[in-house]
């Protein structure tokens, strides 16, 4: 019998909204749990504000690993997380998404024979140049319970030879957070704070290494934004990586002079939900935002060559446009002229995913007793 608590792992910004609903559900069921933050993201506006907005308590354990190369960051999480696992002997660990903290903790669990559940399993971009794709493949190959958001996830896992009993389709837990908080986000003052008028606007996020670490790609995207900005104001809350690259490449002046651009630092969860839910369109290279816009029915242009979330294209409002200047401009113009397909919300993106995951976890830990 494994007597220990459930460990819930968060590390980076896109993890927080995936763990919050599960934390709450397990708490309701009085399941002992440890909320562990690796510290991969550490700025208040990348981390603390999400705990506040999502009503999560201070983490029980904070590893404080911070930034570093992939090897260092992953290794540092592993070293620290191993000590915690040995100390607390968890009955199961839950990791989410595809960041370095996800794969690091899954690896530690596999070596210590601690059952590990992966939320958002099965997603594949089939692009191994993306660090997240490596994290996804490794995490799924060693985690015990693979909790998928959509049928394509099940299919990818089957194609990799994963046995049926490890695959559990539970839906999209990020949409639990979205549906729970959308009403509260209406109280946000972000529009006033950023001086955004009542006219239609677009929201832009950009942080993928393939877009912002490569100067040529970055410049192609900026050229597109200079044209799109002539037609619709663009609100751009900037990721720290992107800000660093802009400074490195000496692009500050060029970015600031994009017509009608509204620049800000990273937005908190409620402010960001307020921004996107009132926007006319979203341009992004984020994974989660492709799903949130599909759930909200807002047109999304994904500035990448591929997506690990094809259901947002096939059923939702997403279009993959890469970083070609002309294609970004013409796709934005299509949306502005009203020539857009409306999508539908995928099955099980219904706000009840945390309940389904909690059922599976409780069944698993009670069967171990
Ligand atoms: C990470 C994830 C990515 C996710 C993104 C969301 C990996 C491999 N990548 O990328 O999948 O989409 O988070 O934000 O795990 N920095 C700060 N303050 C912070 C955090 C980062 O200034 O709180 C800066 C540092 O200069 C750091 C850089 O951002 O080196 C990159 O951070 P890192 O965690 O390595 O990767 P992200 O680009 O944030």
């Amino acid at each position: 019998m494994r007597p220990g608590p459930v460990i819930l792992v968060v590390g980076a910004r896109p993890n927080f909204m995936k763990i919050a609903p599960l934390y709450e559900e397990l708490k309701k069921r009085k399941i002992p749990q440890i909320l562990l933050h690796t510290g991969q993201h550490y700025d208040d506006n990348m981390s603390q504000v999400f705990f506040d907005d999502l009503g999560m308590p201070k983490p029980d354990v904070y590893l404080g690993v911070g930034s570093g190369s992939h090897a260092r960051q992953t290794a540092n999480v592993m070293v620290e997380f191993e000590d915690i696992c040995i100390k607390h002997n968890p009955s199961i660990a839950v990791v989410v998404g595809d960041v370095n903290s996800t794969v690091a903790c899954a690896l530690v669990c596999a070596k210590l024979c601690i059952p590990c559940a992966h939320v958002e399993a099965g997603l594949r971009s089939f692009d191994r140049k993306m660090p997240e794709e490596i994290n996804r493949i490794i995490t799924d190959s060693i985690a015990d319970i693979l909790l998928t958001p959509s049928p394509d996830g099940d299919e990818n896992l089957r194609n990799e030879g994963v046995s049926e009993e490890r695959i559990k389709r539970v839906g999209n837990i990020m949409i639990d957070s979205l549906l729970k908080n959308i009403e509260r986000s209406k109280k946000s003052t972000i529009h006033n704070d950023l001086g955004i008028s009542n006219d239609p606007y677009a929201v832009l996020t950009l942080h993928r290494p393939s877009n912002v670490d490569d100067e040529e790609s970055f410049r192609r995207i900026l050229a597109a934004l200079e044209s799109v900005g002539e037609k619709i104001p663009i609100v751009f809350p900037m990721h720290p990586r992107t800000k660093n690259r802009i400074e490195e490449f000496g692009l500050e002046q060029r970015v600031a002079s994009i017509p009608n651009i509204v620049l800000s630092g990273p937005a908190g969860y409620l402010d960001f939900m307020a921004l996107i839910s009132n926007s006319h369109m979203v341009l992004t290279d984020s994974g989660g935002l492709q799903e949130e816009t599909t759930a909200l029915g807002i047109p999304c242009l994904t500035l990448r060559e591929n997506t690990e979330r094809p259901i947002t294209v096939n059923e939702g409002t997403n279009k993959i446009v890469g970083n070609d200047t002309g294609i970004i401009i013409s796709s934005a113009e299509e949306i502005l002229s009203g020539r857009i397909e409306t999508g539908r919300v995928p099955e099980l993106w219904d706000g009840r995913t945390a309940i389904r995951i909690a059922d599976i976890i409780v069944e698993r830990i009670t069967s171990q007793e």
Side-chain angles (χ1 to χ4, degrees):
M1 170 185 158
R2 284 201 166 272
V6 176
I7 291 196
L8 301 182
V9 175
V10 291
R13 184 170 65 176
N15 295 160
F16 306 128
M17 58 294 271
K18 295 171 192 163
I19 281 292
L22 184 58
Y23 174 84
E24 205 177 296
E25 186 59 32
L26 293 177
K27 188 171 162 209
K28 227 186 267 171
R29 299 183 191 203
K30 300 195 169 45
I31 307 292
Q33 53 179 333
I34 291 176
L35 181 59
L36 179 142
H37 189 337
T38 66
Q40 176 173 344
H41 284 173
Y42 43 85
D43 287 354
D44 279 354
N45 58 12
M46 296 290 285
S47 176
Q48 184 58 46
V49 65
F50 289 84
F51 279 75
D52 298 341
D53 282 0
L54 294 159
M56 276 199 293
K58 199 167 162 287
D60 301 299
V61 180
Y62 185 74
L63 303 181
V65 299
S67 301
S69 70
H70 282 268
R72 274 178 207 287
Q73 191 172 59
T74 310
N76 287 339
V77 173
M78 287 183 71
V79 170
E80 301 295 328
F81 186 64
E82 186 181 55
D83 285 347
I84 299 298
C85 287
I86 290 169
K87 181 169 168 202
H88 293 281
N89 192 26
S91 50
I92 191 166
V94 181
V95 298
V96 297
D98 55 16
V99 301
N100 287 342
S101 301
T102 311
V103 69
C105 294
L107 266 166
V108 169
C109 289
K111 297 286 179 78
L112 292 177
C113 297
I114 294 166
C116 179
H118 181 209
V119 176
E120 207 183 87
L123 301 190
R124 297 288 180 270
S125 65
F126 301 100
D127 174 4
R128 291 198 179 201
K129 289 198 294 296
M130 265 184 104
E132 293 81 4
E133 182 73 353
I134 307 300
N135 294 345
R136 291 179 201 117
I137 293 168
I138 295 175
T139 304
D140 286 342
S141 73
I142 54 181
D144 301 85
I145 307 176
L146 302 176
L147 303 156
T148 65
S150 44
D152 54 286
D154 306 7
E155 210 42 51
N156 291 333
L157 293 171
R158 282 187 200 115
N159 290 341
E160 289 172 18
V162 172
S163 61
E164 214 52 51
E165 69 270 12
R166 282 171 66 208
I167 306 172
K168 312 268 181 216
R169 176 129 51 90
V170 290
N172 192 328
I173 196 161
M174 213 179 48
I175 306 305
D176 287 22
S177 279
L178 176 68
L179 297 178
K180 178 160 181 249
N181 290 294
I182 196 79
E183 217 29 61
R184 288 175 65 222
S185 79
K186 290 185 181 151
K187 296 204 184 85
S188 160
T189 58
I190 189 78
H191 293 87
N192 261 337
D193 300 347
L194 295 180
I196 303 168
S197 72
N198 286 331
D199 295 332
Y201 63 88
V203 174
L204 166 73
T205 79
L206 208 57
H207 73 280
R208 291 274 160 222
S210 57
N211 281 332
V212 302
D213 290 4
D214 180 294
E215 193 174 341
E216 279 313 300
S217 306
F218 204 167
R219 285 180 183 275
R220 278 198 295 278
I221 293 173
L222 291 180
L225 297 173
E226 282 158 358
S227 165
V228 175
E230 297 279 2
K231 291 163 191 117
I232 186 167
I234 302 170
V235 183
F236 183 13
M238 215 183 282
H239 187 284
R241 172 194 281 279
T242 310
K243 186 167 183 284
N244 293 344
R245 292 300 172 265
I246 288 174
E247 287 164 10
E248 228 171 82
F249 299 148
L251 290 168
E252 293 101 321
Q253 200 45 47
R254 182 160 176 201
V255 171
S257 37
I258 294 170
N260 299 308
I261 190 99
V262 181
L263 297 173
S264 78
Y269 185 71
L270 293 172
D271 284 345
F272 196 66
M273 286 309 118
L275 273 180
I276 60 166
S277 57
N278 289 294
S279 70
H280 192 71
M281 72 169 131
V282 168
L283 298 104
T284 190
D285 59 8
S286 142
L289 206 34
Q290 297 171 51
E291 300 180 331
E292 286 160 337
T293 45
T294 275
L296 291 166
I298 293 183
C300 177
L301 298 181
T302 294
L303 310 178
R304 287 175 40 191
E305 300 301 327
N306 48 52
T307 180
E308 60 289 334
R309 294 161 161 93
I311 198 162
T312 60
V313 177
N314 301 334
E315 295 190 16
T317 54
N318 190 17
K319 184 176 174 191
I320 306 298
V321 295
N323 57 27
D324 179 276
T325 308
I327 297 177
I328 299 172
I329 296 172
S330 61
S331 304
E333 279 170 356
E334 245 170 51
I335 296 172
L336 290 171
S337 67
R339 276 177 288 134
I340 41 163
E341 286 174 37
T342 50
R344 67 179 165 105
V345 180
E347 196 192 347
L348 300 183
W349 293 23
D350 58 358
R352 299 179 61 80
T353 295
I355 295 176
R356 290 187 281 270
I357 295 176
D359 287 346
I360 292 167
I361 287 174
V362 168
E363 195 198 313
R364 174 68 187 235
I365 55 185
T366 44
S367 74
Q368 283 168 197
E369 285 171 7

